[in-house]
Amino acid sequence: MQITDVRVRKVAKEGKLKAVVSITIDEEFVVHDIKVIEGEKGLDGEYRDIAHPINSGTRERIQTTILKKYEQSLAEEDEPAAEEA
């Protein structure tokens, strides 16, 4: 299984919800509405029960990929501000 696309929609309002993500798996299957949540231990990926990994290794791989892409989107957002300064 390969995660072939990750689309991050950041949430502008304050609160625990930081982004909503869609992932494409093997360019054939899409999972929408994965929430990036600021939890007690940092960022977390939360799934609806409609589609979910069936083992912890797959969940970890999906979560790691999503959070990496989210962090990249935050860094890209900060780049223009750094160039303007």
Side-chain angles (χ1 to χ4, degrees):
M1 177 190 86
Q2 294 295 317
I3 298 172
T4 52
D5 189 34
V6 179
R7 296 181 188 254
V8 177
R9 290 188 336 259
K10 288 178 264 199
V11 176
K13 64 183 178 180
E14 293 294 320
K16 293 182 179 185
L17 179 63
K18 300 300 180 187
V20 179
V21 179
S22 296
I23 62 170
T24 303
I25 300 169
D26 294 332
E27 296 182 13
E28 296 179 353
F29 185 78
V30 176
V31 179
H32 296 291
D33 295 332
I34 300 170
K35 297 174 184 171
V36 177
I37 305 281
E38 181 74 47
E40 292 178 14
K41 297 179 183 178
L43 294 173
D44 191 18
E46 180 179 288
Y47 300 84
R48 295 177 129 189
D49 288 338
I50 295 168
H52 58 88
I54 59 172
N55 60 57
S56 60
T58 302
R59 177 179 292 279
E60 180 65 29
R61 186 169 37 176
I62 291 171
Q63 182 169 302
T64 299
T65 302
I66 287 169
L67 296 180
K68 180 179 176 182
K69 186 70 171 187
Y70 173 72
E71 294 291 342
Q72 287 174 351
S73 71
L74 291 179
E76 290 169 2
E77 187 176 272
D78 290 341
E79 285 177 10
E83 291 173 4
E84 292 173 8

